[in-house]
Amino acid sequence: MSSRVTFHYLPVAQKAFLYFASNQESHGDQEATAPQTRLVDACLRICTAEMSHGFEPEQPADAEICRVLRKAADARAEGKPLWAGYAEAVLHFAERTLGMCSSRLNGRESTLTKPERTRGRNCGTYSTPEFIADTMAKELLTYLGRSSFSSPDIVDLSVEAGQFPLSLLIRGSTRHIRFYGMDRDPVPLAMAERLCRFGAEFSSSGKLRLSVTNQDSLLEDPPGGWPRRYSAVIGNPPWKGGHTKYNELVRGLFQPELRGNFDLYLAFILRAHELVRPGGFLSFVIPSTFLFNQNAGDVRRLLLKDYDILSLHVYPQGSFIEVPCLIPISFLARKRASVKSRSTTLISYHPTELGGAQRPRYSERVAVAAVWRQLPGHVFHPLIRKNCVFLLGIRGQRTLKEFGEVGCGARLSSLEAINPGLPFLGIHARHIRAFHACARAALKYGRGDAVFSRPPSAEVIAAPKVVFQDLRYMTHGTRLVAATAGAGMAPVSTASMFRPKDAQFLHFYAALLNSALVNAWYKVRDVNRSIKLFHIRELPIVYEKRAWDRIGAMALDCSTIWERSHEHPHDGLAAEERFVHGSPGGCSEWSHLRSQIDSEIFDLYDVSASQRNIVFRLVNARAF
């Protein structure tokens, strides 16, 4: 995959950029003389020579660039033509230099500065990996081929160096496509034009005409002569917002769907909604947080109301090499021409080798949009099917917030330094296992340690409490992991807590939060990295003292098994966990207690046998 190969040769791209910056020619045409554009021209000359008679470099720098492009082209997908591999290699190699600037030191072009536009972890704009762009292009062309659009017009609202028009050109189309690209930066537009001309020269089946304009697609209408509405909108919009004034301006244009803090890609979806024709398509690659984030709820509601969600593709961590922890998704939605229009949704986990052996890899076509409309926040949940809806109807006489206080842990800060006032053991998420908050591994904070923006109160430190991890990797099946913590302990940073009004049921509450039923109940609502306390507060509670006493006693036994592990020499909490789960005595006793707790809680909430099977399947399944 050229996007991954070129990332590892970023120093070569920087060196090439500096070369063209230091030999800048002024023709009064900014985008034509930009170092990035001249780099693309040089790369395309190298590629043309390579494919015809072999490139013979005259300069060492040319030889270095040629080696990178050759490696990237060789990494192309099976069946993709050589010219396409070279075109995408040039795109990703040169696109990584966008936003770079050079500065003069002692009369020489030397150092690189990195403004917000430059690719990096916090940029919010990343090169689209080919396997994602290929998936989106192939799928869009398939649906356009079945549509009534004889000559589709497609627009990319943030076209950058042209990955999507190039991908559509590579895939080929039986219909002539008019592709329109907008971008606030004129330099990538010039790069996109050059790459598409190169592709059109070598493509035998592509029928694509590219038009571009240098403008802000969120704030400005398409230029005169362009369509007012489009057959499709495709793209990888910026994911993060810009400066505050710009965000305020964008928020004002797209209210009420955008309120408070928002991710910029939501504005692009709303803008696309304005520009797409009835019967037309939206195809975007965005972060998986869109599926569950509260600030995206109104946008999801709009899509479910006005669109058929044709597909949801989930890609693994590491797909975007610049941000390996991020999990991207893409979706294809068709704007309804009539209210009655409905269709099934393809839920697909991309079969790439990235992401590890345990990652889901399957595709399933299901009627799920009606279920998503019933979920809190209208979340787009890849695991939920119609048989899971009963988890929305679980009832209790009261909710957890009526039995105590759900709250965040202390917050660490290097800027606001406040003393806690009392010494305590700080329990972070990494110190918590089911039924065990490890005091031996916890961090000691003294009364004079000024490291908190919000230190724990004396009341919190002194009180018995249930602590739970409030940060869980999205790839973990289990969402809630809780344990009891006594006086002198307090959750910190990545852990939160529940302080019950009646401490005699402390162990029951820990059992409840660890149970399969409550994990499934929560998992229906959210599988994002941050555990949402507002969901925890609304957990339905069924009070039955004798059942609570039995469940609490078993939870105490689970905690005791952990304590027994301290009698054996272990190297850290992970080793203790292996002992608890893997030792002959610990394994059978632990499993039996967990099974009994789950059974008692199922009985308490009157969950049927068939529903219990659904709960276990959901709890054990990975959403990402």
Side-chain angles (χ1 to χ4, degrees):
M1 292 180 282
S2 63
S3 60
R4 307 186 73 80
V5 173
T6 55
F7 178 80
H8 295 297
Y9 289 94
L10 186 57
V12 178
Q14 291 174 333
K15 188 190 301 183
F17 168 83
L18 277 176
Y19 170 78
F20 288 109
S22 63
N23 293 278
Q24 184 75 38
E25 298 176 9
S26 178
H27 299 294
D29 187 352
Q30 179 187 353
E31 61 268 25
T33 60
Q36 292 91 343
T37 310
R38 297 172 68 198
L39 173 60
V40 168
D41 288 336
C43 288
L44 292 178
R45 283 196 297 270
I46 292 172
C47 293
T48 301
E50 270 286 284
M51 289 188 294
S52 58
H53 50 75
F55 179 65
E56 296 294 335
E58 297 179 3
Q59 302 292 334
D62 290 342
E64 202 169 10
I65 292 172
C66 183
R67 281 195 295 272
V68 175
L69 297 178
R70 192 180 296 155
K71 285 184 178 181
D74 288 344
R76 68 189 185 279
E78 185 178 354
K80 183 173 287 189
L82 181 60
W83 72 262
Y86 272 112
E88 290 184 324
V90 174
L91 188 151
H92 292 119
F93 183 69
E95 195 177 50
R96 296 188 188 282
T97 67
L98 287 174
M100 287 185 181
C101 298
S102 62
S103 61
R104 283 191 172 272
L105 183 65
N106 298 325
R108 297 177 59 191
E109 300 283 350
S110 55
T111 58
L112 288 168
T113 59
K114 292 191 175 184
E116 289 182 2
R117 183 66 189 272
T118 304
R119 272 30 178 190
R121 186 180 183 87
N122 297 315
C123 168
T125 306
Y126 313 111
S127 299
T128 311
E130 310 91 288
F131 68 88
I132 294 180
D134 288 345
T135 299
M136 295 168 65
K138 178 182 178 181
E139 187 173 54
L140 179 59
L141 288 174
T142 298
Y143 276 95
L144 284 172
R146 301 170 185 168
S147 73
S148 59
F149 303 125
S150 57
S151 296
D153 36 43
I154 303 173
V155 65
D156 187 337
L157 303 178
S158 54
V159 73
E160 295 259 301
Q163 176 68 72
F164 287 103
L166 186 60
S167 293
L168 290 167
L169 188 60
I170 293 169
R171 297 298 310 182
S173 173
T174 57
R175 304 182 181 192
H176 288 277
I177 293 175
R178 298 185 295 270
F179 196 100
Y180 301 87
M182 305 183 193
D183 204 281
R184 292 192 297 175
D185 187 345
V187 175
L189 294 176
M191 296 164 65
E193 289 181 308
R194 284 158 167 76
L195 286 161
C196 284
R197 278 201 300 269
F198 174 85
E201 181 180 348
F202 289 95
S203 173
S204 59
S205 59
K207 303 176 181 179
L208 183 141
R209 187 190 73 192
L210 176 67
S211 301
V212 298
T213 182
N214 177 207
Q215 68 176 68
D216 190 317
S217 60
L218 294 181
L219 306 182
E220 304 172 65
D221 289 330
W226 281 30
R228 299 295 96 183
R229 295 285 190 92
Y230 296 85
S231 309
V233 185
I234 194 171
N236 173 14
W239 293 1
K240 292 188 176 182
H243 52 81
T244 303
K245 288 185 179 179
Y246 182 78
N247 281 8
E248 290 175 356
L249 185 59
V250 171
R251 186 188 300 112
L253 290 174
F254 295 102
Q255 289 182 341
E257 286 83 8
L258 293 187
R259 291 173 290 184
N261 294 325
F262 65 92
D263 297 309
L264 196 58
Y265 67 82
L266 296 174
F268 278 88
I269 295 174
L270 294 172
R271 182 64 171 136
H273 169 63
E274 296 174 350
L275 293 174
V276 71
R277 297 170 180 160
F281 303 90
L282 302 185
S283 179
F284 282 108
V285 55
I286 51 180
S288 60
T289 50
F290 167 75
L291 304 178
F292 296 92
N293 266 7
Q294 194 176 13
N295 66 4
D298 286 337
V299 176
R300 292 192 299 265
R301 186 176 293 107
L302 171 69
L303 292 175
L304 288 170
K305 179 173 69 74
D306 292 344
Y307 291 80
D308 293 323
I309 311 302
L310 301 175
S311 71
L312 173 63
H313 296 274
V314 182
Y315 306 96
Q317 284 182 314
S319 294
F320 284 84
I321 194 169
E322 300 96 334
V323 278
C325 61
L326 186 145
I327 298 173
I329 61 105
S330 68
F331 70 86
L332 180 68
R334 180 176 55 212
K335 196 171 192 177
R336 294 196 195 105
S338 67
V339 177
K340 295 182 179 179
S341 176
R342 290 289 186 273
S343 74
T344 57
T345 302
L346 174 68
I347 306 293
S348 176
Y349 289 86
H350 200 277
T352 176
E353 71 278 5
L354 298 173
Q358 301 304 313
R359 186 180 69 85
R361 288 176 174 84
Y362 66 85
S363 294
E364 183 180 9
R365 186 166 290 281
V366 290
V368 75
V371 179
W372 288 351
R373 279 189 284 271
Q374 299 177 55
L375 300 179
H378 293 71
V379 299
F380 285 18
H381 203 313
L383 293 180
I384 297 305
R385 304 293 182 265
K386 189 175 181 179
N387 62 4
C388 300
V389 172
F390 76 91
L391 289 163
L392 301 176
I394 288 178
R395 295 286 182 265
Q397 299 96 332
R398 298 158 71 183
T399 58
L400 186 64
K401 65 186 177 185
E402 299 174 67
F403 287 82
E405 180 184 350
V406 179
C408 297
R411 285 294 179 257
L412 295 167
S413 173
S414 57
L415 301 177
E416 303 175 65
I418 304 174
N419 296 326
L422 289 172
F424 69 97
L425 290 176
I427 303 295
H428 295 247
R430 66 182 181 273
H431 305 137
I432 302 173
R433 299 294 188 271
F435 300 100
H436 181 60
C438 189
R440 299 200 309 178
L443 301 182
K444 295 179 180 179
Y445 294 99
R447 68 176 70 243
D449 288 340
V451 293
F452 296 97
S453 60
R454 187 179 66 231
S457 66
E459 182 183 10
V460 166
I461 294 173
K465 59 197 77 72
V466 176
V467 292
F468 54 90
Q469 297 182 3
D470 66 18
L471 284 181
R472 291 283 292 167
Y473 284 113
M474 298 163 70
T475 55
H476 290 172
T478 303
R479 305 313 303 156
L480 300 179
V481 178
T484 58
M489 304 170 75
V492 174
S493 185
T494 54
S496 291
M497 63 183 166
F498 170 66
R499 283 194 297 146
K501 295 176 181 177
D502 189 344
Q504 71 167 311
F505 297 119
L506 187 69
H507 290 284
F508 165 76
Y509 293 120
L512 187 66
L513 291 179
N514 282 314
S515 69
L517 178 63
V518 172
N519 261 280
W521 175 90
Y522 182 89
K523 199 170 184 178
V524 163
R525 289 155 174 80
D526 184 71
V527 294
N528 270 344
R529 186 166 176 257
S530 297
I531 300 299
K532 306 298 190 298
L533 299 190
F534 63 84
H535 285 317
I536 303 294
R537 293 187 181 101
E538 298 302 320
L539 174 63
I541 298 297
V542 176
Y543 178 73
E544 209 287 296
K545 186 178 184 306
R546 286 183 293 181
W548 284 29
D549 287 339
R550 290 194 304 272
I551 294 168
M554 288 185 285
L556 178 58
D557 289 341
C558 286
S559 179
T560 301
I561 292 175
W562 271 101
E563 293 300 324
R564 286 207 307 262
S565 73
H566 294 329
E567 300 172 4
H568 302 267
H570 295 296
D571 184 18
L573 187 56
E576 291 180 2
E577 186 172 26
R578 287 193 294 272
F579 172 82
V580 169
H581 291 278
S583 65
C587 181
S588 59
E589 187 178 1
W590 175 266
S591 299
H592 176 72
L593 286 169
R594 294 299 303 268
S595 177
Q596 284 296 106
I597 288 172
D598 282 333
S599 180
E600 289 271 1
I601 290 175
F602 282 138
D603 289 343
L604 186 65
Y605 283 86
D606 196 24
V607 178
S608 70
S610 61
Q611 291 172 338
R612 296 180 191 198
N613 291 332
I614 294 167
V615 164
F616 285 123
R617 283 200 299 270
L618 179 60
V619 167
N620 293 324
R622 285 180 52 165
F624 299 109

